[in-house]
Amino acid sequence: MAKSSSLNVRVVEGRALPAKDVSGSSDPYCLVKVDDEVVARTATVWRSLGPFWGEEYTVHLPLDFQQLAFYVLDEDTVGHDDIIGKISLSREAITADPRGIDSWINLSRVDPDAEVQGEICLSVQMLEDGRGRCLRCHVLQARDLAPRDISGTSDPFARVFWGSQSLETSTIKKTRFPHWDEVLELREMPGAPSPLRVELWDWDMVGKNDFLGMVEFSPKTLQQKPPNGWFRLLPFPRAEEDSGRNLGALRVKVRLIEDRVLPSQCYQPLMELLMESVLGPAEEDTASPLALLEELTLGDCRQDLATKLVKLFLGRGLAGPFLDYLTRREVARTMDPNTLFRSNSLASKSMEQFMKLVGMPYLHEVLKPMISRVFEEKKYMELDPCKMDLGRTRRISFKGAPSEEQMRETSLGLLTGYLGPIMDAIVGSVGRCPPAMRLAFKQLHRRVKERFPKPEHQQDVKYLAISGFLFLRFFAPAILTPKLFDLRDQHADPQTSRSLLLLAKAVQSIGNLGQQLGQGKELWMAPLHPFLLQSVSRVRDFLDRLVDVDGDEEAGVPARALFPPSAIVREGYLLKRKEEPAGLATRFAFKKRYVWLSGETLSFSKSPEWQTRHSIPVSHIRAVERVDEGAFQLPHVMQVVTQDGAGALHTTYLQCKNVNELNQWLSALRKASAPNPDKLAACHPGAFRSARWTCCLQAERSAAGCSRTHSAVTLGDWSDPLDPDAEAQTVYRQLLLGRDQLRLKLLEDSNMDTALEADTGACPEVLARQRAAAARLLEVLADLDRAHEEFQQQEREKVALGPLGP
């Protein structure tokens, strides 16, 4: 049985933040940190004391993670960013409510004594001789300590307390990974048994020493099981303070999902019920187990369930029948064709998630060139007279500020200059659209045509159903927020964001086939109407060709991956350090290279068009980790540690532009190399320079790594591999939430049939089938409950046996 742990984190907004700039405002952003690892950075919201971010992340975690922290900072374009405040959430606080956390939380002051990180390795023995009891504390080493000096390192020493006695180790200069290997012996003094406390401090020549963290062990622990191993450092215990006073608050949503995933055979009965639902006759749609699951799922859980169901059916090669089943249910209960798929139903969410899972490479191929151009050119465009800033456009004309009409004409030319290539790329992309998407749209087209056969519906309804998904839920959102679709590493600045909004509105109007042009409040879009109407006929022709595809089911067989191993999952320019840059200054040792990552290789060349490539097999990767800024005096550097056929380790250093790009490359490389054997448990976060490691100061290049690796920390995204067992476990968990509702609503005495028929409009036969489906679901849930309990009992027995067990 496997265990998995993931955090769903949403940084929503802030309020009442303090002003940090002379303008009386701030430029806030938020860092998200899991234990010692920064996993995400939001965009900077310029000139705001009440910023809205609305950014969401899924972080896959190691099972032993302890703390989630949010740091709000004010970005300073000159000098260091100012820390405004932080929120710390322990694992226990997050799991206290199964629904997670969704609330405003006051920011607290960042106390240096509380900002501890890292671990210490100790071996403690309790000895007894003729003079009494003696405690022998072997202080071996520490790792990943907080940097307290301006150089990005510390000068750590350890202080050991037992009763009224204390001893200190030596101080090791300029390292966050000290190796002491010192034994300190303390004699027991008369009185009650005392705890053992080990504190780490950063030595300072001037001023007071800085606290780095502590561990403490009770007398009972010392007597029964003396400490031996690595222990996480903790801050000083302190009374709760009035956090958030004058620092503002942050609204966050956090949910921890921890699952024990059973062997595949345990989920087989549940899988059979779900498959039976989509493969059964259409007249049983309303009484199938999947229909009951849809009714039990609340709106806030619907997107997560839709993603898991789509992945589950994709893994079985049945995504087409699954989407067709949901489409049949949706169109059957829709009376007005103009409202078709406009709600956030399971059908709408499933098609949306299906497009993201299957169509993301297609989306990148179609939109990325023009999105990149908009970001790079930074043109000012505005059609709304209420938002026009004529003064900022003086550089366009040397004859003074343009008039409103001139500004409108200039903006219209720029907008159509971007929209033209965007529409050309979309309508010319039929051959590049994934076959599975085309088949899903073909089924959708057929179902809508059958449901609304009247002549007045034939003109647009069959097109609107498809364009509503493809344009309104896929292309337009990707144009509006490219970062959320992995088209850009950073959010747009305010000016570019406004340009993207205008382009997204135009694409949305085209997707609506021009039906609402001239209506509503945005009459200032009228100059664009001729272009939009001209594009509508092209879109109809594009959709006709898109659904003109042979076959009724997905090609291929059930698979564990959405894309072939050769598919590129990430690419872009990075700075790569030469293997042995002899005699070169550090800043000249990194060269700009274009990098491709697939499931098979990590490749480099001078440019995308360059024919000569150097490649590293992904199967050779043993670790992918961050590098301390002090190693090369450069930020956002990562290392890829590989092993050749002879067993020798080699390290490639890559520098990214910012922390978000770094996190995305770390995640992509870790996921691509996840199946590799012999992964490293530890590595060096520094570099071997001047005959020693910059991190732990060891002089042997082959010295064992001083920091543990973080291979389990990844970001969830569209390229995640399929995992049918984990997805079935999610469905089981959702059914558990609705089990009581199932029992109450559908397993009542048959005398309730008349009342239920009056309430739901369902005939007795349908109600009987629903009751039978509910009974089968409850039986499957009971079997899975027993399986989980059996495996948990086995785990408890293993723990009870301990290392001496059989």
Side-chain angles (χ1 to χ4, degrees), residues 147-331:
R148 292 291 192 238
D149 300 337
I150 196 170
S151 62
T153 62
S154 291
D155 304 321
F157 68 91
R159 188 178 288 157
V160 180
F161 296 86
W162 192 43
S164 59
Q165 302 178 74
S166 68
L167 291 174
E168 293 181 1
T169 66
S170 59
T171 299
I172 300 180
K173 299 290 188 68
K174 298 187 183 306
T175 180
R176 298 194 304 116
F177 302 86
H179 283 248
W180 290 287
D181 198 13
E182 296 183 24
V183 177
L184 306 179
E185 291 191 357
L186 300 95
R187 285 280 169 185
E188 185 176 44
M189 303 298 289
S194 301
L196 168 68
R197 188 171 80 251
V198 181
E199 299 174 359
L200 294 190
W201 293 83
D202 167 54
W203 177 84
D204 278 338
M205 181 180 293
V206 180
K208 68 184 185 73
N209 297 330
D210 298 315
F211 181 66
L212 292 172
M214 60 164 281
V215 291
E216 188 168 87
F217 307 97
S218 67
K220 182 178 180 181
T221 299
L222 295 176
Q223 187 64 39
Q224 296 181 357
K225 192 177 180 181
N228 185 13
W230 285 98
F231 302 93
R232 187 178 297 276
L233 294 170
L234 302 172
F236 270 131
R238 56 196 175 98
E240 289 296 321
E241 58 183 337
D242 182 15
S243 64
R245 190 172 55 190
N246 303 324
L247 294 180
L250 191 66
R251 186 186 172 201
V252 295
K253 295 182 180 182
V254 180
R255 187 160 63 102
L256 177 64
I257 301 172
E258 292 184 296
D259 267 333
R260 290 177 172 84
V261 181
L262 301 170
S264 299
Q265 64 268 20
C266 297
Y267 298 107
Q268 194 57 35
L270 176 60
M271 294 295 298
E272 289 173 358
L273 282 181
L274 296 177
M275 301 302 148
E276 177 185 306
S277 298
V278 303
L279 297 176
E283 56 269 17
E284 296 184 6
D285 284 351
T286 57
S288 68
L290 192 52
L292 296 181
L293 176 61
E294 181 179 1
E295 291 177 16
L296 296 173
T297 307
L298 300 176
D300 55 348
C301 300
R302 198 164 285 157
Q303 180 163 317
D304 185 44
L305 178 65
T307 303
K308 299 302 183 183
L309 285 173
V310 169
K311 284 189 168 186
L312 193 150
F313 282 97
L314 273 169
R316 294 295 180 110
L318 293 172
F322 167 65
L323 294 172
D324 188 40
Y325 164 85
L326 294 176
T327 298
R328 292 197 308 263
R329 283 179 52 77
E330 183 81 4
V331 299

Side-chain angles (χ1 to χ4, degrees), residues 362-380:
Y362 164 63
L363 180 80
H364 282 209
E365 191 175 356
V366 172
L367 291 183
K368 194 165 188 175
M370 285 309 302
I371 295 296
S372 299
R373 187 180 143 195
V374 173
F375 271 79
E376 291 159 6
E377 294 181 355
K378 296 185 180 297
K379 300 287 188 181
Y380 178 74

Side-chain angles (χ1 to χ4, degrees), residues 489 570 573-576 590 634-638 653-666 669:
D489 296 318
R570 189 154 192 86
Y573 278 108
L574 298 176
L575 295 178
K576 177 177 179 287
F590 283 82
L634 294 171
H636 316 312
V637 177
M638 65 177 172
Y653 296 98
L654 300 168
Q655 186 188 17
C656 303
K657 294 192 294 289
N658 51 62
V659 68
N660 278 344
E661 185 180 62
L662 173 63
N663 284 327
Q664 288 156 2
W665 273 103
L666 284 169
L669 282 161

Side-chain angles (χ1 to χ4, degrees), residues 675-744:
N676 293 355
D678 304 323
K679 302 287 278 297
L680 296 181
C683 71
H684 292 281
F688 194 79
R689 300 174 60 200
S690 303
R692 68 176 186 175
W693 287 100
T694 60
C695 46
C696 57
L697 310 182
Q698 295 191 77
E700 293 293 328
R701 180 185 285 272
S702 59
C706 56
S707 175
R708 65 173 181 171
T709 54
H710 302 80
S711 59
V713 180
T714 60
L715 298 175
D717 61 22
W718 58 271
S719 63
D720 285 351
L722 299 176
D723 189 346
D725 296 339
E727 282 125 26
Q729 173 64 21
T730 300
V731 176
Y732 159 69
R733 189 174 62 244
Q734 184 61 44
L735 284 168
L736 280 181
L737 294 175
R739 175 155 55 185
D740 291 341
Q741 188 179 347
L742 264 179
R743 289 169 174 162
L744 291 172

Side-chain angles (χ1 to χ4, degrees), residues 338-369:
N338 294 315
T339 63
L340 192 59
F341 297 110
R342 294 305 170 103
S343 67
N344 287 323
S345 63
L346 186 61
S348 298
K349 286 295 183 184
S350 295
M351 180 64 85
E352 190 176 330
Q353 296 305 310
F354 170 75
M355 290 190 297
K356 288 181 180 179
L357 289 166
V358 173
M360 199 63 82
Y362 164 63
L363 180 80
H364 282 209
E365 191 175 356
V366 172
L367 291 183
K368 194 165 188 175

Side-chain angles (χ1 to χ4, degrees), residues 37 222 263 335 417:
E37 184 98 341
L222 295 176
M335 298 296 108

